[in-house]
Amino acid sequence: MPVKVDMDKIVSLCKRRGFIFPSSEIYGGLASCWDYGPVGVELKRNVKETWWKAIVQDRDDVVGLDTSIMMHPGVWAASGHIDNFTDPLVECKSCHLRWRADAVEGKKCPQCGGELTEPRMFNLMFKTLMGPVEEEASIVYLRPETAQGIFVNFENVVTTSRKKLPLGIAQIGKSFRNEITPGNFIFRTREFEHMEVEYFVKPGTDEKWLDYWIKERFEWYVKLGIRKENLRLRQHGKDELAHYAKDCYDVEYLFPMGWSELEGIANRGDFDLTQHAKYSGKELSYRDAEAGEKYVPYVIEPSAGVDRSVLAFLVDAYDEEEVEGEKRTVLHLHHSLAPIKVAVLPLSRNEKLTPLAKEVFKQLCPNFMTDYDDSQSIGRRYRRQDEIGTPFCVTIDFESLEDKQVTIRERDSLAQIRVPIGELKKVIEAKLKGEAFDASSLWATRRM
Ligand code: GAP
């Protein structure tokens, strides 16, 4: 049974091994902003790439898009974000800390016990000024969701892609929200990345498609290794639905702080296209030539956070085990998510081993994200690779110089196989695709 991990351990592992650092750390950091380090950026890229593959590449009914972060301010008036994207905020009259009103029980400040103000609505969109003139007319917003870039391009995409409905448009990109209470590491931040699909369907088929996407998205996490018992679905109550939503389900994950939203899958009805048609004066409907119909499509929206997914994958993969009397921390990350797929580790920095080890590295690195490490003891290097979730370590020893074979060690079972260097790429490719790591079948087994 894997250990239950607390957030401090995840934060510390992320810092220690180069996944995630506090932003601007040498200046004391900036609240709720984080930087992805060398292995973190690989993990994050892999999350986005697996999502893109499942949503866009493997399907013929979804196309991709990449729209600008700053958009015409009319977009946010039409979408309802200027009027409705707000949280109720209270401020302590003594220490002046601000809280989300719905996160505070009673009328006292949770920090100092001081008296709180009456709630007022606080808009979560970041504002900035575009161009050199500082005036009201230059105000633009940093997008709080990527979705609106999709809605305003609906006509462009339908026309150029020559696709019929149902049609999905997918986008990955940064979003910004001036959250009143960010926190829990990368769970809630003011700058984060969204992975969103707007799936346009014929009205009347929307409920069927909502069910479909709920199942599809739930399974995506399971396929990538998240344990089913740590996932659940929760339907929004009428009082918590966003201003645009007819219905919404959250995929929740059992994070260290408890069950929390990982992804939202909403039925946005025809709210957005209708609003943009009204505010822009452009017709945004779909003409089905075959059926001789014209309608404003309904939209099903699976909306996930990249950073929140990264956190869930890290938490779920984390384990502490006892191996031969020693504690080992290991990330059992799915192969497709692991930042480094294979590490090349010469037994020592001996000058006889280095040329062969470098040759092996050169053979592997164009094919897989490969790490080369020859510092410290082999045991410590294995521990580092286990902690960053590397599925395979290749060790070059003195026998390798003679027999031109190397040892592959598998992260989860710790089994080892001996493989001819000429076969290495092929073997690792097969193992990464899920071929069993059978220490007996191919070549002789040997424990290091
Ligand atoms: N377009 C719909 C939309 O944005 P949302 O439920 O507000 O819906 C979707 O956000 C997902 O985006 C969330 O489930 C979460 O994974 C991620 N997300 C939202 N706000 C976030 C924040 N402040 N920090 C990190 N991730 C966030």
Side-chain angles (χ1 to χ4, degrees):
M1 195 62 185
V3 291
K4 273 235 148 304
V5 60
D6 60 43
M7 198 69 98
D8 289 347
K9 280 193 178 170
I10 295 289
V11 176
S12 146
L13 172 74
C14 285
K15 174 82 205 298
R16 189 168 74 246
R17 293 305 187 189
F19 279 99
I20 298 167
F21 309 123
S23 160
S24 329
E25 196 180 6
I26 58 169
Y27 287 94
L30 179 66
S32 97
C33 293
W34 302 92
D35 297 341
Y36 285 78
V39 286
V41 71
E42 296 301 332
L43 173 58
K44 196 181 189 197
R45 279 168 57 102
N46 292 341
V47 168
K48 290 189 276 186
E49 275 167 24
T50 18
W51 184 90
W52 195 264
K53 182 167 185 314
I55 299 287
V56 182
Q57 188 183 334
D58 293 351
R59 310 178 57 108
D60 66 355
D61 59 347
V62 182
V63 294
L65 193 66
D66 185 4
T67 68
S68 66
I69 285 172
M70 289 180 287
M71 301 175 73
H72 189 288
V75 169
W76 307 111
S79 68
H81 282 82
I82 290 179
D83 289 338
N84 299 311
F85 196 56
T86 50
D87 272 343
L89 174 147
V90 288
E91 184 173 332
C92 172
K93 290 181 181 169
S94 309
C95 72
H96 298 290
L97 274 182
R98 291 172 170 190
W99 307 89
R100 265 177 65 156
D102 52 5
V104 180
E105 275 177 37
K107 291 223 164 257
K108 297 273 174 237
C109 169
Q111 181 76 11
C112 73
E115 194 190 339
L116 296 172
T117 60
E118 285 304 309
R120 65 183 171 87
M121 293 320 264
F122 172 76
N123 194 294
L124 301 184
M125 281 197 294
F126 278 96
K127 267 185 204 167
T128 189
L129 296 167
M130 185 172 250
V133 186
E134 293 199 9
E135 58 179 22
E136 190 76 1
S138 318
I139 289 178
V140 288
Y141 299 91
L142 303 187
R143 67 179 177 201
E145 59 173 11
T146 66
Q148 297 305 324
I150 297 177
F151 295 127
V152 300
N153 276 290
F154 172 70
E155 189 71 24
N156 284 335
V157 175
V158 170
T159 313
T160 54
S161 68
R162 302 164 56 84
K163 300 257 183 200
K164 294 193 168 59
L165 258 55
L167 171 66
I169 306 178
Q171 169 154 232
I172 299 180
K174 289 263 183 179
S175 292
F176 301 83
R177 295 181 183 181
N178 201 0
E179 300 279 3
I180 300 167
T181 43
N184 283 316
F185 193 30
I186 53 169
F187 177 83
R188 180 170 285 112
T189 52
R190 296 189 170 117
E191 172 182 346
F192 62 96
E193 265 183 286
H194 256 133
M195 306 185 279
E196 300 196 287
V197 193
E198 306 306 320
Y199 196 75
F200 298 89
V201 305
K202 187 176 174 181
T205 63
D206 47 314
E207 285 177 20
K208 176 186 90 181
W209 284 110
L210 178 64
D211 284 350
Y212 168 87
W213 278 106
I214 291 168
K215 288 198 190 81
E216 199 66 17
R217 295 302 304 143
F218 193 94
E219 278 308 309
W220 183 76
Y221 294 102
V222 175
K223 271 191 215 141
L224 287 173
I226 299 225
R227 279 158 287 166
K228 260 196 181 139
E229 65 267 29
N230 291 340
L231 287 169
R232 71 179 188 193
L233 282 171
R234 190 182 68 80
Q235 186 177 20
H236 282 209
K238 289 272 171 265
D239 55 336
E240 58 174 325
L241 284 174
H243 62 273
Y244 51 72
K246 268 181 73 189
D247 196 2
C248 186
Y249 285 77
D250 284 347
V251 177
E252 293 190 333
Y253 178 71
L254 187 54
F255 286 98
M257 66 282 187
W259 287 102
S260 311
E261 176 186 343
L262 177 56
E263 167 163 354
I265 302 143
N267 182 347
R268 293 180 78 129
D270 60 3
F271 177 84
D272 300 273
L273 290 181
T274 305
Q275 285 292 100
H276 286 305
K278 192 165 124 197
Y279 277 69
S280 69
K282 303 276 186 307
E283 195 187 338
L284 294 175
S285 52
Y286 175 74
R287 194 180 297 275
D288 183 339
E290 271 167 35
E293 292 175 324
K294 194 170 100 171
Y295 53 82
V296 178
Y298 273 27
V299 175
I300 306 303
E301 178 195 63
S303 173
V306 178
D307 314 78
R308 218 173 266 191
S309 302
V310 165
L311 183 60
F313 287 122
L314 283 170
V315 168
D316 220 75
Y318 184 96
D319 203 4
E320 288 169 8
E321 301 170 349
E322 179 123 340
V323 177
E324 289 165 7
E326 275 191 37
K327 190 185 112 181
R328 108 168 159 138
T329 300
V330 56
L331 288 184
H332 296 289
L333 284 170
H334 190 277
H335 289 174
S336 58
L337 298 180
I340 305 290
K341 311 296 182 205
V342 50
V344 174
L345 313 175
L347 196 59
S348 71
R349 227 179 228 171
N350 185 292
E351 59 184 25
K352 288 201 182 116
L353 292 180
T354 306
L356 185 62
K358 292 267 181 199
E359 197 187 305
V360 170
F361 174 74
K362 277 218 178 101
Q363 188 201 117
L364 297 179
C365 75
N367 305 291
F368 319 104
M369 194 51 76
T370 310
D371 194 14
Y372 182 90
D373 189 2
D374 62 2
S375 60
Q376 301 185 314
S377 73
I378 188 79
R380 286 190 140 195
R381 282 180 276 154
Y382 280 151
R383 264 203 299 284
R384 172 169 180 271
Q385 296 300 335
D386 288 342
E387 286 199 7
I388 63 173
T390 306
F392 302 108
C393 290
V394 171
T395 314
I396 293 96
D397 56 21
F398 289 99
E399 247 178 271
S400 307
L401 300 174
E402 305 300 320
D403 65 3
K404 298 282 183 277
Q405 294 200 8
V406 290
T407 304
I408 311 180
R409 167 198 185 262
E410 201 260 338
R411 176 194 69 198
D412 298 336
S413 63
L414 295 174
Q416 302 194 358
I417 56 174
R418 195 90 180 142
V419 175
I421 291 171
E423 304 281 332
L424 199 51
K425 174 182 165 252
K426 210 175 69 191
V427 173
I428 289 178
E429 220 157 49
K431 303 297 175 206
L432 281 171
K433 282 196 185 133
E435 185 185 276
F437 198 88
D438 181 354
S440 62
S441 64
L442 220 45
W443 291 280
T445 315
R446 203 185 62 165
R447 299 284 296 179
M448 293 286 298

